[in-house]
Amino acid sequence: ALKVAIVGLPNVGKSTLFNALTQTAAAQAANYPFCTIEPNVGDVAVPEPRLDALAAIAGSKEIIPARINFVDVAGLVRGASKGEGLGNQFLANIRDCDAVAFVARCFEDDDITHVEGRIDPISDLDIIETELMLADLESLEKRVVNLEKRAKGGDKESATTLRLVKLALAQLNEGRPAFTAEVAKEDDKAWRMLQLLTAKPALYVCNVDEGSADKGNSLSDAVAARAAKDGAKSVVISAKIESEIALLDAGERAEFLETIGLEEPGLNRMIHEAYKLLGLQTYFTVGPKEARAWTIHVGDTAPQSAGVIHTDFEKGFIRAETIAYDDYVRLKGEAGAREAGRMRLEGKDYVVQDGDVMHFRFNT
Ligand code: GDP
């Protein structure tokens, strides 16, 4: 499953957010099984109201949402890359995540100590970014000698890696995070294999006071501006409110959200922004047995999308019976869509659209 690291200085609201995320999943017990792999990893169902609508129409016995993992990375403080706080082992936790959610403290509360003694989310983010840059520098510098040796020995792959390592080092030595490097499309995969902390797709989570949960405040505006400049995404969330929402049942939740002027829990927005950030989207398979959401990349073809279910589906792909989500709902299911001519037969070049209801035909 997709893995997102939750990162930030102490006392910014990371654990509050993490607990809200995992409790929400637990609260949706029957349909959204929740399990914790490790104490700091939360396996969370991706909120998807469309899946419930599809299951209701098809009378599906089971609803299986897509999953996303959140990793609570504690212990990041100034000096972490030098082993301060919980130090390096926690930086390693971030390395195998697909994206990083940076939590920034955008609330004032005199009772809650700030490690730096002032509320300034931008310099908090700078501190974290500096630590991640130092960690990247260190891990890259360690690799140079070995790569040079192997590249000289004629190993093409090492030569490519070495070139990219040098590209990243050039940025980092100038005090710029690795994501600012210009990487050619054909190098994309090798670049990602470097697992650089400062090259991961980033989502800035502005943890605001309860009164600012709907529109944010001047601190979150500043963070949003920084995110936009860095090509990152940002969301406004009140971790405290989210932890309260997490404990409500579906009916109470809708009512509570309305009173505070929110359309959906902030956590849902956070998950959806993570999807967008990573270029992901959803298609569905729907039947009497189960209704299920599958995660694919924007631009994936029908066979590639089938491959997410099983590699045999991709290899033996013949065609896909496809109904757009809106048609499926409007025409009340497969039979209605077929009758109205809204069930399409799509071939191997079809680019799957978000919300498509798919049925794959394949050879075994
Ligand atoms: P972490 O160290 O980043 O994991 O931070 P925690 O989630 O443990 O939060 C630190 C303290 O800040 C706790 O006492 C939380 O209750 C409090 N806190 C978290 N979010 C908010 C918020 O939005 N508003 C206020 N007033 N307090 C918060």
Side-chain angles (χ1 to χ4, degrees), residues 12 102-108 119-125 203-229 232-239 269:
V12 298
F102 291 99
V103 183
R105 177 165 167 178
C106 299
F107 65 89
E108 313 259 2
I119 307 296
D120 183 350
I122 298 297
S123 45
D124 289 1
L125 290 167
L203 177 65
Y204 291 89
V205 179
C206 307
N207 183 17
V208 297
D209 51 278
E210 290 94 316
S212 308
D214 52 346
K215 296 202 172 62
N217 57 27
S218 59
L219 296 170
S220 65
D221 288 347
V223 174
R226 179 190 159 121
K229 181 174 71 71
K233 300 251 177 207
S234 76
V235 285
V236 171
I237 243 181
S238 164
R269 263 182 295 126

Side-chain angles (χ1 to χ4, degrees), residues 92-109:
N93 265 337
I94 309 171
R95 229 173 265 293
D96 68 347
C97 287
D98 303 287
V100 183
F102 291 99
V103 183
R105 177 165 167 178
C106 299
F107 65 89
E108 313 259 2
D109 187 334

Side-chain angles (χ1 to χ4, degrees), residues 301-308 310-318 362:
T301 60
Q304 285 172 324
S305 305
V308 175
H310 200 290
T311 46
D312 287 349
F313 280 35
E314 180 168 5
K315 275 188 244 144
F317 179 89
I318 303 169
F362 61 97

Side-chain angles (χ1 to χ4, degrees), residues 1-2 46-48 50-51 54 62-68 275 279-287 289-298 300-302 304-311 313 352-360:
L2 193 67
V46 175
E48 180 54 87
R50 290 180 299 180
L51 190 57
L54 293 172
E62 205 181 345
I63 294 178
I64 308 178
R67 321 280 320 171
I68 184 165
Y275 259 60
L280 301 173
Q281 64 180 16
T282 306
Y283 78 87
F284 304 103
T285 52
V286 183
K289 210 172 120 250
E290 63 178 45
R292 184 159 184 168
W294 302 90
T295 302
I296 54 169
H297 288 95
V298 174
D300 278 354
T301 60
Q304 285 172 324
S305 305
V308 175
I309 301 178
H310 200 290
T311 46
F313 280 35
V352 174
Q353 302 296 302
D354 187 53
D356 277 353
V357 178
M358 312 284 294
H359 191 87
F360 297 108

